[in-house]
């Protein structure tokens, strides 16, 4: 099969969150299975160019119709750690992708509408005829609209679209001027409830809704989140749209790139270890303590790694720090937020805890330190309020770090409570709590810390259960292929 991924991120060249990891990991898995995969991205000025090999212009003169004229683009090609990537570079005063950051601009909808249009123009003009276009998140929601309403008549007749929603919170709601920019025109047709009209603003277009309505199949990133999207308010207003299109909607758990995340070979770890050499994990714990000036005492080390965003349960993260210290554990936090008020709050907390030898807060984005934390910690807390899939708990499991999680989205599908689960004991791999409350969080942490102190052998068994889980791309890769095949029929 010939698959083209269309997305706004791809790790490690353009990574803001889990989306970037998924684009890279899924593409790699599909290629390993013998399929041809190409990735199309905007050519951002802020990409990690040191991770692109053989970058060159492959198609210098693509003219993309835009409003009443056209924008001249160059298409670049390069390999990102073996993956084939095309980068779209528009030459216009809008400087759509030359802004210094990936996201966060007032004309965001226009930037990605242009990217979507340019992608189809590129495929059409260069006679590329993939079997599947796999689009991701709101940024590419217009691709199936442009394909089935316009480019179908310009040579792209047999293509099918799979659309994956990584986060319902950002949908791309915008005015109707996009219809004239992209050449779709006909606002009376598109601004219809059954098509692109936002479910709550009668004068606005919703990119994500467009993606759902027009694609041949729609997925989100875990089975539990697919259920939440249909039956709770976690769809951020798209519940009715999903309901109408439920026959083509499902959840596929994200995979983890087991090549990148492997404690047996991870170049960022001082000591390598695996299931049969677990003792070596504790050398990483010592190194982590040295690096972060934590005292070396017989205590469990609990960590948090992730964005500091309201969806991650900021209040519970804060509470977990104090509760861990009170219960005789150490705590390490690595996280940052684009929101100044949240960053300030954690900087204040950092100052407050500065002299505590059992605690360290690192308010930063630091890939390298994150690997040492996953390896050095005994437990990790993920108390999310909203979590479509979540990669941190899967990385923790792989690194023998016991996850303590709230039962939402992908966390529900990957972590199974040691004491309260119907699965066989050897499949239980962590601690799970249900309510968004301090009491529930405390009870799970209390059980985890208690096991660490009082039943070290059983704690070790729990670690090994986690390390033996398979959250690689193996199964999800097959699941996506099944969908591609289904929609081709
Ligand atoms: P989301 O996509 O909502 O940010 P995920 O759990 O799916 O959450 O993915 C987060 C990824 O980003 C993980 O690989 C995690 O290790 C990494 N990460 C998050 N915050 C940081 C940070 N401050 N420093 C290093 N890595 C981070």
């Amino acid at each position: 099969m010939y698959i083209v991924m269309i997305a706004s991120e791809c790790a490690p060249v353009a990574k803001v969150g889990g989306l970037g990891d998924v684009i890279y990991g899924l593409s790699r898995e599909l290629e390993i299975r013998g399929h041809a995969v190409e990735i199309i991205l905007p050519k951002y000025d802020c990409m990690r160019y040191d991770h692109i090999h053989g970058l060159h212009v492959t198609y210098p003169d693509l003219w993309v119709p835009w409003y009443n004229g056209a924008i001249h683009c160059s298409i670049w090609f390069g390999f990102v750690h073996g993956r084939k990537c095309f980068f779209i570079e528009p030459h216009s005063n809008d400087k759509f992708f030359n802004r210094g950051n990936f996201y966060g601009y007032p004309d965001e909808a226009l930037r990605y509408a242009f990217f979507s249009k340019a992608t189809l123009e590129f495929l059409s003009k260069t006679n590329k005829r993939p079997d599947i276009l796999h689009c991701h998140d709101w940024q590419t929601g217009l691709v199936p609209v442009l394909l089935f309403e316009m480019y179908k008549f310009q040579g792209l007749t047999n293509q099918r679209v799979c659309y994956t929603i990584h986060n319902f919170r950002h949908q791309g709601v915008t005015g109707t001027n996009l219809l004239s920019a992209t050449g779709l025109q006909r606002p009376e047709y598109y601004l219809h409830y059954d098509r692109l009209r936002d479910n709550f603003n009668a004068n606005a277009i919703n990119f994500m809704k467009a993606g759902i309505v027009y694609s041949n199949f729609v997925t989100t990133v875990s089975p539990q989140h697919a259920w939440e999207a249909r039956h709770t308010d976690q769809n951020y207003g798209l519940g009715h749209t999903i309901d109408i299109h439920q026959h083509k909607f499902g959840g596929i758990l994200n995979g983890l790139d087991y090549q990148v995340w492997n404690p047996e070979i991870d170049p960022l770890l001082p000591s390598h270890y695996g299931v049969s050499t677990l003792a070596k994990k504790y050398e990483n714990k010592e190194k982590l303590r040295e690096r972060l000036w934590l005292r070396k005492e017989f205590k469990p080390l609990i960590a948090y790694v992730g964005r500091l965003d309201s969806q991650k349960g900021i209040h519970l993260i804060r509470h977990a720090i104090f509760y861990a210290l009170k219960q005789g554990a150490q705590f390490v936090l690595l996280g940052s937020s684009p929101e100044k008020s949240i960053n300030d709050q954690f900087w204040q907390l950092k100052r407050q805890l500065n002299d505590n030898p059992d605690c360290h807060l690192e308010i930063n984005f630091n890939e390298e330190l994150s690997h040492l934390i996953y390896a050095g910690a005994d437990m990790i807390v993920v108390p999310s309020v909203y979590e479509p899939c979540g990669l941190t708990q899967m990385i923790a499991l792989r690194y023998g770090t016991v996850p303590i999680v709230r039962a939402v989205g992908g966390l529900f599908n990957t972590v199974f409570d040691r004491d309260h689960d119907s699965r066989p004991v050897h499949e239980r791999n962590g601690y799970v709590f249900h309510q968004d409350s301090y009491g529930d969080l405390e009870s799970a942490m209390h059980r985890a810390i208690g096991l660490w102190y009082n039943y070290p052998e059983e704690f070790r068994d729990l670690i090994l259960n986690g390390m033996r889980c398979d959250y690689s791309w193996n199964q999800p890769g097959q699941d996506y292929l099944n969908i591609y095949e289904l929609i081709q029929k």
Side-chain angles (χ1 to χ4, degrees):
M1 230 181 284
Y2 173 19
I3 302 134
V4 167
M5 295 280 167
I6 307 171
S8 56
E9 295 182 31
C10 176
V13 281
K15 169 175 166 173
V16 175
L19 169 64
D21 291 314
V22 171
I23 301 303
Y24 181 86
L26 175 58
S27 303
R28 182 169 171 275
E29 176 67 25
L30 295 170
E31 282 195 57
I32 289 171
R33 287 163 178 267
H35 301 281
V37 184
E38 291 168 350
I39 303 168
I40 303 183
L41 298 161
K43 186 167 181 290
Y44 300 103
D45 58 350
C46 52
M47 283 194 299
R48 293 281 307 267
Y49 282 89
D50 53 327
H51 287 278
I52 311 176
H53 302 278
L55 185 63
H56 66 277
V57 173
T58 175
Y59 197 84
D61 288 316
L62 183 77
W63 288 90
V64 180
W66 194 242
Y67 286 106
N68 295 321
I71 292 180
H72 177 214
C73 294
S74 301
I75 310 298
W76 296 69
F77 176 83
F79 287 96
V80 174
H81 294 258
R83 307 287 75 73
K84 296 188 187 91
C85 293
F86 290 94
F87 302 94
I88 293 178
E89 179 186 38
H91 304 287
S92 86
N93 291 335
D94 302 299
K95 296 196 179 319
F96 283 135
F97 308 118
N98 290 336
R99 309 268 178 98
N101 282 306
F102 296 109
Y103 304 132
Y105 302 99
D107 59 345
E108 212 81 324
L110 215 54
R111 294 172 75 214
Y112 289 103
F114 180 80
F115 171 62
S116 302
K117 172 95 182 168
T119 295
L120 287 164
E121 194 66 28
F122 169 55
L123 296 175
S124 157
K125 286 282 154 57
T126 54
N127 285 323
K128 283 181 172 291
R129 297 294 180 264
D131 301 304
I132 299 291
L133 303 183
H134 193 159
C135 303
H136 299 265
D137 264 353
W138 76 265
Q139 288 90 346
T140 58
L142 282 191
V143 168
V145 185
L146 289 161
L147 175 69
F148 293 122
E149 296 280 8
M150 195 183 253
Y151 284 86
K152 186 168 97 173
F153 308 105
Q154 297 177 32
L156 295 169
T157 32
N158 297 318
Q159 284 56 47
R160 294 286 177 269
V161 181
C162 176
Y163 181 59
T164 297
I165 297 171
H166 299 255
N167 196 328
F168 278 94
R169 286 172 82 210
H170 308 287
Q171 299 181 359
V173 179
T174 186
T176 50
N177 65 324
L178 279 201
L179 297 174
S180 40
T182 53
L184 287 168
Q185 310 295 358
R186 294 192 290 162
E188 68 293 344
Y189 175 74
Y190 289 108
L191 212 55
H192 188 282
Y193 187 82
D194 292 343
R195 296 191 185 88
L196 273 56
R197 194 178 96 190
D198 184 67
N199 290 352
F200 296 94
N201 183 344
N203 295 314
I205 282 173
N206 183 318
F207 278 47
M208 188 167 274
K209 177 171 171 178
I212 297 171
V213 171
Y214 275 85
S215 296
N216 302 100
F217 206 92
V218 182
T219 67
T220 188
V221 290
S222 68
Q224 176 67 8
H225 194 56
W227 183 89
E228 290 164 350
R230 280 203 59 202
H231 302 291
T232 75
D233 59 0
Q234 296 217 359
N235 50 54
Y236 291 86
L238 287 174
H240 188 232
T241 308
I242 293 170
D243 215 42
I244 293 169
H245 296 276
Q246 55 176 281
H247 60 282
K248 57 166 190 180
F249 178 69
I252 296 182
L253 193 68
N254 281 339
L256 187 66
D257 195 323
Y258 271 26
Q259 189 80 359
V260 175
W261 297 103
N262 180 355
E264 288 181 297
I265 53 166
D266 187 339
L268 296 174
L269 299 188
S271 296
H272 293 143
Y273 61 96
V275 170
S276 55
T277 49
L278 192 57
K280 289 212 165 266
K281 175 174 166 69
Y282 299 98
E283 295 175 11
N284 294 298
K285 183 172 178 179
E286 293 306 281
K287 283 284 179 337
L288 178 61
R289 282 170 156 170
E290 278 165 26
R291 175 152 171 191
L292 303 181
W293 301 94
L294 296 177
R295 72 171 147 195
K296 294 186 178 179
E297 271 196 3
F298 182 70
K299 286 181 172 196
L301 203 161
I302 306 180
Y304 173 82
V305 179
R307 290 184 298 119
L308 297 172
D309 183 295
S310 57
Q311 90 170 63
K312 302 287 179 186
I314 296 283
H315 54 300
L316 294 179
I317 295 168
R318 210 185 140 88
H319 191 76
I321 298 173
F322 289 103
Y323 187 73
L325 297 176
K326 204 169 93 185
Q327 293 292 309
Q330 297 185 315
F331 202 98
V332 168
L333 174 141
L334 171 63
S336 64
S337 168
E339 260 180 66
K340 189 176 174 310
S341 62
I342 298 181
N343 258 337
D344 288 352
Q345 185 190 334
F346 277 87
W347 271 103
Q348 198 191 343
L349 195 60
K350 184 178 166 72
R351 281 190 288 272
Q352 184 186 337
L353 294 165
N354 204 27
D355 295 330
N356 191 319
D358 287 325
C359 184
H360 184 95
L361 274 55
E362 188 75 22
I363 300 157
N364 216 328
F365 188 96
N366 187 334
E367 183 80 29
E368 182 214 352
L369 179 60
S370 77
H371 286 241
L372 184 58
I373 293 176
Y374 286 120
D378 297 293
M379 305 160 207
I380 195 159
V381 279
V382 195
S384 302
V385 179
Y386 172 82
E387 194 65 80
C389 180
L391 292 177
T392 48
Q393 81 283 9
M394 295 197 229
I395 303 171
L397 287 166
R398 179 101 166 121
Y399 280 61
T401 302
V402 172
I404 303 167
V405 309
R406 181 155 175 261
V408 284
L411 297 167
F412 176 89
N413 292 127
T414 50
V415 182
F416 310 107
D417 193 276
R418 180 186 177 273
D419 305 319
H420 308 296
D421 202 280
S422 53
R423 289 166 182 264
V425 173
H426 69 272
E427 287 181 21
R428 304 182 196 174
N429 55 13
Y431 290 92
V432 178
F433 63 98
H434 291 264
Q435 301 302 320
D436 170 5
S437 76
Y438 293 155
D440 260 35
L441 169 71
E442 285 183 9
S443 113
M445 287 181 70
H446 182 76
R447 289 187 290 127
I449 295 170
L451 192 76
W452 189 91
Y453 271 117
N454 303 320
Y455 302 95
E457 282 304 311
E458 294 192 22
F459 193 85
R460 192 168 176 277
D461 289 344
L462 192 59
I463 289 176
L464 295 176
N465 288 353
M467 291 179 85
R468 290 192 186 108
C469 294
D470 179 3
Y471 291 126
S472 68
W473 274 105
N474 191 22
Q475 184 59 45
Q478 186 57 53
D479 293 343
Y480 276 113
L481 280 171
N482 291 346
I483 289 174
Y484 299 161
E485 270 161 26
L486 177 80
I487 58 181
Q488 271 193 303
K489 282 181 189 147

